[in-house]
Amino acid sequence: MVLRLSLNLTNSSSIKLLQITDTHLFAPEDGSLLNVITLDSFQAVLGAIIEKKFQFDVIVATGDISQDHSEESYQHFVDSISVLKQPCFWLAGNHDYKPSMAGFFRPKKIFNLEHAFLSENWQIIILDSQVFGVSYGHLSKQQMLLLDSILREYHHHHTLILLHHHPILVGSDWLDRHALKDSIEFWQILRKYSNVKAILCGHVHQNIDRDIQNIRVLSAPSTCIQFKPNSKHFALDRLSPGWREIELYDDGSISTQVHRLMSTYFLPDLNTNGY
Ligand SMILES: [Fe+2]
């Protein structure tokens, strides 16, 4: 049975989403990743979102919620994101531990879903690309069938696909070794349909916005450390943590933009060569 939800977001002409990704939280509140206290940077991002007064309908959290698998790290996410009243769809990244996540289902707040109708015109398909214990992504046969069957059955809905791993090469050798491994099969499914408008992923800790076969492939900055684009080897960027805002219109078009903290307070240790 597909884990499905219908939201009634039809009282406006568009649907607005907030993408949060790669929070990498720890059990200790002062847990840090390469010198960035990830709970602090996440909460700073949430504070900036509130300050900006961006009106939105749904939050999507595209994985790597936790860095240490602990239930406490997920509790920190749930407690922190609760400053925003909107529902949050989350999915697992390579760093997540699904048994810990499963305990944090919260009616009307945190959702582990596979399919959601946002309105009469828009749907979201949420895929699980995690291969436990490794950094690259993979979609199981069951996930491929789920994608294919939803796209076939609800082909009149404009579609946004969410998954953690990037389904395209982004141009960084080290990161592209950790991409979605079976992206050829993934794109073969998408090519059969004309209703997929965008793919939203995490994992790359940078802003990606590409047009592939008329499908927008988007990622957002992490709420903690940023990876340097087009780098052969692991390298960090000086850019600040951030988030993405996305607006989905009735005609299937999309507008989106990335925002970052103004402060340079959350600068990681730039001399490190891995994490
Ligand atoms: Fe990550």
Side-chain angles (χ1 to χ4, degrees), residues 56-105:
F56 59 93
D57 304 294
V58 180
I59 305 161
V60 293
T62 43
D64 282 1
I65 310 290
S66 172
Q67 177 69 13
D68 66 1
H69 290 183
S70 66
E71 290 196 2
E72 291 89 342
S73 63
Y74 293 104
Q75 186 70 59
H76 290 323
F77 181 88
V78 172
D79 290 348
S80 301
I81 203 82
S82 295
V83 299
L84 307 174
K85 66 179 190 310
Q86 292 82 354
C88 176
F89 302 168
W90 72 4
L91 56 82
N94 50 300
H95 285 277
D96 285 306
Y97 186 56
K98 283 186 265 183
S100 290
M101 291 176 82
F104 283 94
F105 169 75

Side-chain angles (χ1 to χ4, degrees), residues 255-270:
S255 67
T256 180
Q257 50 187 319
V258 158
H259 297 274
R260 294 180 188 270
L261 297 180
M262 299 297 283
S263 159
T264 55
Y265 180 78
F266 297 104
L267 196 63
D269 176 2
L270 294 166

Side-chain angles (χ1 to χ4, degrees), residues 197-261:
K197 304 301 178 190
I199 299 164
L200 209 52
C201 65
H203 197 47
V204 293
H205 291 228
Q206 62 191 272
N207 172 15
I208 300 285
D209 187 346
R210 308 255 175 94
D211 193 301
I212 309 288
Q213 302 171 13
N214 288 328
I215 298 173
R216 201 103 171 246
V217 181
L218 302 162
S219 71
S222 160
T223 63
C224 56
I225 60 170
Q226 314 304 314
F227 299 149
K228 200 175 176 71
N230 302 311
S231 177
K232 194 173 170 60
H233 303 289
F234 177 90
L236 293 170
D237 211 340
R238 291 178 166 274
L239 294 173
S240 296
W243 69 95
R244 179 179 286 283
E245 297 169 357
I246 305 147
E247 192 160 0
L248 310 174
Y249 300 96
D250 285 350
D251 65 358
S253 62
I254 291 171
S255 67
T256 180
Q257 50 187 319
V258 158
H259 297 274
R260 294 180 188 270
L261 297 180

Side-chain angles (χ1 to χ4, degrees), residues 82-126:
S82 295
V83 299
L84 307 174
K85 66 179 190 310
Q86 292 82 354
C88 176
F89 302 168
W90 72 4
L91 56 82
N94 50 300
H95 285 277
D96 285 306
Y97 186 56
K98 283 186 265 183
S100 290
M101 291 176 82
F104 283 94
F105 169 75
R106 295 280 188 280
K108 298 186 179 174
K109 186 59 195 175
I110 301 289
F111 293 92
N112 302 310
L113 290 172
E114 294 171 314
H115 184 206
F117 293 109
L118 300 180
S119 68
E120 285 178 10
N121 299 304
W122 276 94
Q123 63 183 347
I124 289 186
I125 301 173
I126 303 173

Side-chain angles (χ1 to χ4, degrees), residues 28-58:
E29 291 187 7
D30 60 354
S32 67
L33 189 63
L34 308 180
N35 267 3
V36 173
I37 297 177
T38 55
L39 183 57
D40 284 357
S41 61
F42 175 40
Q43 291 181 344
V45 164
L46 294 174
I49 290 164
I50 291 168
E51 205 169 294
K52 234 184 123 274
K53 297 188 169 69
F54 172 58
Q55 301 294 317
F56 59 93
D57 304 294
V58 180

Side-chain angles (χ1 to χ4, degrees), residues 134-256:
V134 298
S135 297
Y136 64 80
H138 166 72
L139 292 173
S140 66
K141 188 81 194 158
Q142 185 268 339
Q143 289 288 289
M144 292 288 190
L145 286 170
L146 179 88
L147 174 65
D148 200 11
S149 64
I150 294 173
L151 287 175
R152 186 172 53 248
E153 188 170 354
Y154 303 103
H155 59 275
H156 293 306
H157 284 73
H158 307 306
T159 305
L160 177 67
I161 295 173
L162 266 54
L163 78 170
H164 181 66
H165 294 83
H166 48 303
I168 58 168
L169 300 180
V170 297
S172 287
D173 286 359
W174 74 276
L175 258 179
D176 287 337
R177 283 195 292 277
H178 302 154
L180 184 72
K181 287 288 181 205
D182 38 10
S183 56
I184 291 175
E185 194 182 346
F186 172 76
W187 283 100
Q188 278 170 349
I189 292 172
L190 301 197
R191 228 174 292 150
K192 290 160 54 181
Y193 306 96
S194 58
N195 57 329
V196 180
K197 304 301 178 190
I199 299 164
L200 209 52
C201 65
H203 197 47
V204 293
H205 291 228
Q206 62 191 272
N207 172 15
I208 300 285
D209 187 346
R210 308 255 175 94
D211 193 301
I212 309 288
Q213 302 171 13
N214 288 328
I215 298 173
R216 201 103 171 246
V217 181
L218 302 162
S219 71
S222 160
T223 63
C224 56
I225 60 170
Q226 314 304 314
F227 299 149
K228 200 175 176 71
N230 302 311
S231 177
K232 194 173 170 60
H233 303 289
F234 177 90
L236 293 170
D237 211 340
R238 291 178 166 274
L239 294 173
S240 296
W243 69 95
R244 179 179 286 283
E245 297 169 357
I246 305 147
E247 192 160 0
L248 310 174
Y249 300 96
D250 285 350
D251 65 358
S253 62
I254 291 171
S255 67
T256 180

